[in-house]
Amino acid sequence: MGADMTMGKGTNVAVQASAVRIELGWRGGPGVPDADASALLLASGRVRSDADFVFYNQPAHASGAVRHEGKTTTGGAVTDTLSVDLARVEPDIERVVLAASADGGAFGSVPGLHIRVLDAASDAELARFDSTDATVETAFVLGELYRREGAWKFRAVGQGYDSGLAGLATDYGITVDEPQTAAAPPPMPTAPPAVTAPVRLTKVTLTKAAPSVSLAKQGGTSGAMRVNLNWEVRKQFSGWGSKRGRAVARHRDLDLDLCALYELTDGRKGVVQALGNAFGSLHQPPYIHLDGDDRTGGVASGENLTINLDHKNALRRVLIFVTIYEGARSFADLHATVTLAPLGGAPIDFSLDECTVPSTVCALALITNDGRDLTVQREARYLVPERGVSPQRTVDRAYGWGMDWTPGRK
């Protein structure tokens, strides 16, 4: 199927691939709601358990067959991606429903909404369905992958819901944990509580207009908070390669390093980074640990560090930043997303703005302790080191950390 051919609602096409990438796309812009891709794995028309729901808060199915890969923005085009390894879908799963939910408005205000099915190996387009009749819907089933006589097919669906992602999910058997309002007390239980916690649909996206959030208000008060940085490279340096099934330009030995400057309430200061093997510690000061050093930028891996919120009272401030260790001269061609995921709380995410300066270090987020709560502030601030000044010293000066620096290696 060529890129200029689209499917009509209710039509189907054979999927001649063992693994596919599902791209939910639309045109972003001022006043356009955000949208999120999700997938439900169905047996006899319903999920077997809440684990069969793959979305931004539950990004990987236990079977490894379906993953939520995350968003990219190029110009005005926004894409949220799911990967589906059809060969790994469990035998009793008959359908994989491919859905979208709107955040901050209805789909009638989302221009160019469409879904594409691409061969993960060759990047060839196998199917495309454009949604053109949305009005007040806040969730949509755009399509589904289904088995027929041992083979997989894709059907264009186009069914809308005005009850959002929660309404769509519960329609397929998901138990949703929805916050209670002050005016509506929680209902009396009529059955024994479930063994597993309901699925949480809440999330927080930090923007220039709304750059900060309280961790306590989002339920992030204890346990581990994972900070993930993932990125996509779009400029050619040493030839073309493939990443998450997508043909992209490959930087030679591109290496981004996620780092954290910290200041403890007892006055101690330091840095957590791969450089100098300063990986930190989760269960003793500074209660921050860098998981490893990744060179792919994949959403399932990327660069990760963990903050132990059980010891949040020991933290005065933490600055999360990223440096280019090698492989690129600036962030200009790297499209990155940051996600902070506290245990039991709503994930907090934001994308970096386009870089227009020769920056090799970017301040991502500032976490501060006001004595009662931790606040996450989106920074997304590109810094340009002076000649002979390291990226670490540059970010130190910008935020007044006041540390002494010596050269390091990794």
Side-chain angles (χ1 to χ4, degrees):
M1 177 172 295
D4 59 339
M5 297 178 63
T6 60
M7 299 176 65
K9 187 181 296 189
T11 60
N12 62 75
V13 64
V15 176
Q16 304 288 348
S18 61
V20 294
R21 190 172 74 255
I22 307 297
E23 292 188 350
L24 167 70
W26 68 96
R27 293 192 304 276
V32 176
D34 193 19
D36 295 288
S38 59
L40 299 108
L41 289 76
L42 307 185
S44 301
R46 292 174 69 82
V47 297
R48 298 166 301 179
S49 73
D50 292 347
D52 286 339
F53 185 28
V54 176
F55 70 120
Y56 48 78
N57 279 3
Q58 197 164 271
H61 192 260
S63 66
V66 183
R67 299 193 66 91
H68 178 248
E69 300 287 4
K71 289 193 180 82
T72 59
T73 302
T74 306
V78 187
T79 302
D80 198 10
T81 303
L82 298 160
S83 63
V84 183
D85 187 342
L86 296 171
R88 296 177 69 178
V89 176
E90 296 155 302
D92 55 337
I93 297 297
E94 301 161 353
R95 288 192 289 154
V96 179
V97 169
L98 307 166
S101 56
D103 184 9
F107 275 114
S109 301
V110 179
L113 180 66
H114 65 273
I115 187 171
R116 300 172 71 212
V117 181
L118 301 159
D119 187 325
S122 68
D123 207 43
E125 183 177 275
L126 305 177
R128 176 180 176 127
F129 171 58
D130 289 83
S131 175
T132 59
D133 56 357
T135 55
V136 299
E137 297 87 354
T138 49
F140 249 98
V141 174
L142 289 168
E144 62 182 16
L145 295 162
Y146 65 100
R147 297 184 199 262
R148 185 58 51 87
E149 297 178 352
W152 285 96
K153 290 190 170 186
F154 171 78
R155 177 184 291 117
V157 178
Q159 176 186 354
Y161 293 73
D162 61 7
S163 49
L165 185 58
L168 183 150
T170 54
D171 201 37
Y172 288 101
I174 297 293
T175 305
V176 173
D177 179 16
E178 294 187 277
Q180 299 289 334
T181 63
M188 294 297 291
T190 57
V195 174
T196 57
V199 171
R200 293 177 62 97
L201 301 184
T202 53
K203 69 169 185 172
V204 177
T205 300
L206 299 182
T207 64
K208 288 181 179 179
S212 64
V213 66
S214 156
L215 277 182
K217 290 181 179 178
Q218 301 305 322
T221 57
S222 62
M225 178 170 71
R226 174 63 60 88
V227 181
N228 172 266
L229 171 74
N230 68 83
W231 62 89
E232 183 176 13
V233 184
R234 289 192 179 275
K235 186 174 181 179
Q236 183 173 1
F237 276 77
S238 64
W240 288 90
S242 177
K243 176 177 181 182
R244 299 206 297 268
R246 181 183 296 113
V248 297
R250 183 168 56 234
H251 283 230
R252 180 181 294 110
D253 296 323
L254 176 67
D255 189 2
L256 301 186
D257 283 346
L258 187 64
C259 314
L261 280 172
Y262 64 84
E263 181 180 0
L264 305 182
T265 51
D266 64 10
R268 284 181 288 176
K269 299 176 182 178
V271 64
V272 174
Q273 60 179 5
L275 200 65
N277 294 319
F279 287 95
S281 176
L282 197 59
H283 300 293
Q284 59 187 14
Y287 307 111
I288 303 167
H289 182 254
L290 181 65
D291 293 10
D293 188 25
D294 182 76
R295 295 188 177 215
T296 67
V299 72
S301 52
E303 289 274 313
N304 295 280
L305 62 80
T306 306
I307 300 174
N308 189 343
L309 296 182
D310 289 339
H311 295 275
K312 62 182 180 293
N313 292 335
L315 303 173
R316 180 172 291 160
R317 57 176 179 157
V318 179
L319 180 69
I320 311 297
F321 67 100
V322 59
T323 66
I324 299 176
Y325 183 71
E326 63 182 4
R329 291 184 293 272
S330 81
F331 287 102
D333 300 291
L334 307 178
H335 300 264
T337 301
V338 182
T339 302
L340 295 85
L343 181 69
I348 301 161
D349 63 25
F350 61 89
S351 297
L352 298 186
D353 301 318
E354 183 177 352
C355 180
T356 58
V357 295
S359 170
T360 55
V361 57
C362 179
L364 300 177
L366 181 64
I367 303 171
T368 55
N369 188 343
D370 65 2
R372 302 179 308 276
D373 185 20
L374 293 181
T375 298
V376 178
Q377 171 85 23
R378 175 189 188 270
E379 295 293 308
R381 180 181 175 190
Y382 294 107
L383 302 171
V384 182
E386 297 176 2
R387 182 180 296 273
V389 178
S390 69
Q392 288 83 353
R393 190 184 296 270
T394 299
V395 77
D396 180 315
R397 289 178 179 177
Y399 286 86
W401 232 264
M403 290 173 54
D404 294 323
W405 295 91
T406 56
R409 299 179 63 186
K410 65 173 182 176

